[in-house]
Each structure stands twice: as structure tokens, then as C-alpha cells.
Amino acid sequence: MLSSMMQRPLLISSLLEHAAHWHGDTEIVSRTVESGTDYQVHRYTYADALRRCKQLANAMSRLGVKRGERIGTLAWNGYRHFELYYGVSGMGAVIHTINPRLFPEQIAYIANHAEDQYLCFDLTFAPLVEKLAPSLPGVKGFIAMTDRAHMPAINVPNLLCYEDLLSAESDQLVWPAFDETTPSSLCYTSGTTGNPKGVMYSHRSTLIHTYGVMSPDAFCLSSRDVVLPVVPMFHVNAWGLPYVCAAAGAKMVMPGAALDGASLHRLFEEEGVTMSAGVPTVWMGLLNYVKSNNLKFSTFKETVIGGSACPPAMIESFERDFGVTVVHAWGMSEMSPLGTMCRLKAKHLKLSPTEQFAIKIKQGRAVFGVELKIVDGDGKALPHDGKAFGDLMVRGPWIVDQYFKEERSALRDGWFATGDVATIDADGFMQITDRSKDVIKSGGEWISSIDLENIAVAHPSVMEAGVIGVAHPKWDERPLLIVVKKQGAEISREEMLKFFEGKIAKWWMPDDVVFVDQLPHTATGKLLKTKMREEFKGYKLPTA
Ligand code: ADP
């Protein structure tokens, strides 16, 4: 028996067509890369973007790009990158966003593994592209995302100018229709161990994820919003925002390369930004800037923070000092990336602010479309009591099954193991305890490095903190706290440890504190625990 409903495929091109038709005069504002440190923005509308995306798709066809072929990008959040998202996927090819913060060898590995046909780059990355070009034999041409006047003087084979390519083409095109399971975009996980692995999203997974992200208990986006994605378009599609904003008809504001506090604050104010999203490290910079300059936000209402655990002190500061609501979120590249978001339920609204805060620091509830469970070592489901913790497993239509070019499915009994350890409470709020490889195993019990880090950064003298397990003759591992002090601040080892008293079980107390100038980060802004463990491998704890 057949249903009565139309069989219209879920295609990415439909998002931009919708935005251009029904929100045609809504703006996309981008801080330009060409202007360097000068404050200059480029401004156009969804209707303009659609025309240029069609020109871009026509240009790609003229270059010989075929369905399914990959086009690499090394670019910031900006209108040309946005056009590549739609022009490339819209024509049936695959946009492969590359994280420029990876080591050059990793970038070369990724671009070769993906078999990128062309590599599009912002001017910032011209020197990097020149260095990489000899190790990218498969790339047929390098497209500088700029106009003729700003073309970089670099020595790479077949250097092309983005604006020249577009201006040679018509803006007329009927987007091709194809199966919704056709691949649309490709991201590689940072791979702190081993080679990066590719996650190939489809038109279908992207569209369903878009509905999920836009929904009220998730990002809650509408045509009344002005969205500034600080989260980069080179990292899991800026959490889907280039798609979600188009679906919602929200104004987009893109910061380009200027991610410092002063630049961001100016953009927030001048463009009337209402909502934003990013990882904790970026917000740390912005918060420090606005605080030390006695500034406020006039339109900014809400920000989504995720990618690594958002310290409770950051949520508190945003809400108390600036009236900006923080919504904690969790996800990963393998999940497109959204998994959970932390918004209170009706029954929580009558709780005291302190009780609400205890919920808001969790990573949140599953967005419709994501199934979650926690299991023990034997794969047995654990209770949702907020106490039992186990391996967090997920499944759903926007979650990876098989990594790109891998022979076998990555699933275990139909579920994807996230590598995170978590609790789930009776109301369904999930809280990450740790990444399974970062959890500290002390005398057969587990200590959460995230909990200890969250407490340390709440101290007014602490800028950033990381906790790792260090070998201990009696307990296997004990926690070592590594701290970066705020500029000009002073704090002793004893004061630091005293700050933990009463906040944790006694046996969770770090065995020692080390002060350093900076901590190592991954290309996506997370603490690089493998490097920290390596650096402190032979560290002699005073308790050993
Ligand atoms: P990578 O940065 O390695 O490319 P992802 O960005 O996909 O990978 O990282 C996903 C991981 O980041 C999750 O599995 C989890 O460990 C961590 N993570 C993401 N959001 C949060 C959060 N809100 N709290 C704690 N950890 C988080």
C-alpha cells in the first residue's frame, strides 16, 4: 500500500530557495577577511546569496566537478564560505570543510584521503596553501576566495580567482533533484590519536538535523533572530547554523578571522545580534574583554555553549553580569553535531535559582531525533538516576553509521559509542563525567576530571585548568591539577587546594597543583589531554 503523500526529496538547495523567496531581504553580514584588522563588513541578502550560489554551481560545473566529488575549503565564517556550502552541495557535489588549525601534515592527509578536486581558501591561508600544494597531487586547482585586486602572490599550480569564476557565469540554474541520501558535506574528526576519520553527511541527515536544531527546546531560532555563529564553519558545519538560519530566515552575522573580544563585541552591538554559539575558550576571551572594559551587551539574549564542558562559573557570569542566558549543549562530529541541549522543563520553573542552576550546568536532554542510553562494561543499560554513570550510546537519523571509506560499520548493536561517560537523571538530563580515556581511575573508582576543572576555574585567580591522572604506586592514578593563572593574579598551591574543600569528596582532592603559562589545545579548542599526560608522564606526586 502507498501513502498519499508527495515524495519530495529533502535537499539542501531547498533551504536557500526558501530563505531567498520568503526572507529575501534578510541580511547576511560578514566581517571581511581582505580588510585584515580594519573593521569592514560585507552586507547582502539571502536573495543575493541565492543568485551567487547559482553562479558558483555553474562555475563548478564548468570546472568539470561531478556529482559526489569533493571540494575542500580552508575558510573562516563568511559569505563566500556560505556560498560554497550551498553552491557545492546544491549541485550534488560535496563540500569538505577542513580545519585550518590542524597540523599541515594532517590537512594534507585529510585532503588526499577525501580526494579533494579543488581547494578553496581565504587569503589568511594563502601561505599555508602554498606550503601544502606540493603534497596535494590530486587537487586540480586552488581557488582564492577573493576578487582580482586581492589575489595573493603565491606559487601554486592553477591558482584561480573566486570572483572571476562567478562573474563569468549566469545566475540562472534549476537545482538538480536527486536522492536525498546523496552525500552533501564531509568533516573529519580531529583525531587526537590515530588518523582523522571522515563523517560524510547526506542531504537527508542535514535537513532532519536542521529541523531538530531549530526546534524550541534546541536552538529555538526564528526569523526574529540575529545569529552570530562564533563556532567555525570548518568545524561540524558551525553546528548546522548556516542551514538552520536559512530555514528560519534569521539574519546571519559572520565574524571572519576576527575572533578577539573587541571585534566580536563590536559586531554584536552594531548588528544587533540576539543569539550566538561557540566553545567555552572563545567566550573566555570575550567575557574577559567586556568585563575589563566595563561594557554591556544591548541585544544579545542567549548563547549556546558546547564542544567541551561549559564551566558553571561561565554560565553564572553570562547570566548574572550580562543578562545573557546560556544553554549548554553537547554533541560531536559523528552526530552532525547536535545531541542534547539543556533547557528547563515546566516543572523546574518553580525551583529556586540555585536548584535551577544545578540542572543548567548539565549537558541536557536529547533533542527529538536522538536516542540516548548509558551502559555498563557488558552493554547492560544503566538506570536514569543521575548517579550511575556509563558509556554513552546514541542512535538516530543524523548520527554516523560508517566512517568515510571504512569497510565496516562503526556501530555496536545498532548504537554508536560516543566515547563519553555520562549520567542521566530521572528527568532525562544527561551529564558528561568525562571522555572515557580522560577519566581518572583511582583505586578502582572513577574521578571526573571535568568536575575538578569546573571547580578550579571558578576561582577568581584562575584563567584555565586541566586535570589529568598521574601514575600512583598505591592508587593506580591520582589527579594532578594544572593551572593557568589570570594575568597579574596570584594564588598558591595551598590556596588552590583549599578552594576544593567542601566541594568534593575528600578522595577526589588533587594530589598536587602545577602552574603553567598555557595549556595545550586541540584544533577545535578542547584541552589536549594526551599532550598533557605525555608532558607529565614521569611526574612525581608528593603522595607517591
Ligand atoms: P573533535 O573536536 O575531536 O573533532 P568533536 O567536536 O566531535 O570532536 O568532539 C566531540 C566531543 O566533545 C564529545 O564526544 C565530548 O567528549 C566533547 N563535548 C562536546 N560538547 C561537550 C559538552 N557540552 N560537555 C562536555 N564535553 C563535550
Side-chain angles (χ1 to χ4, degrees), residues 10 63-64 130 144 156 164 170 190 192 196 201 207 257 267 347 397 412 425 430 438 471 474 487 513 517 520 531 543:
L10 299 170
L63 288 172
E130 187 170 39
V156 295
D164 284 359
S170 147
S190 328
T192 40
Y201 311 104
L207 271 265
L267 210 48
K347 67 177 178 186
R412 230 192 280 159
D425 69 21
M430 183 275 287
D438 296 337
K474 178 160 176 211
Q487 221 179 359
V513 185
D517 291 336
K531 180 98 185 291
T543 51

Side-chain angles (χ1 to χ4, degrees), residues 189-190 235 306-309 328-334 363 418 420 432 435 450 524 526:
T189 61
S190 328
H235 185 219
S308 48
H328 199 186
W330 165 85
M332 58 199 310
S333 306
E334 287 87 341
Q363 276 75 5
T418 62
D420 288 326
I432 303 275
R435 265 204 158 166
I450 293 183
T524 52
K526 299 183 215 299

Side-chain angles (χ1 to χ4, degrees), residues 302-324:
E302 188 165 287
T303 186
V304 177
I305 302 186
S308 48
C310 179
M314 181 174 281
I315 303 183
E316 208 174 8
S317 176
F318 258 119
E319 304 202 343
R320 185 195 53 212
D321 306 335
F322 299 102
V324 177

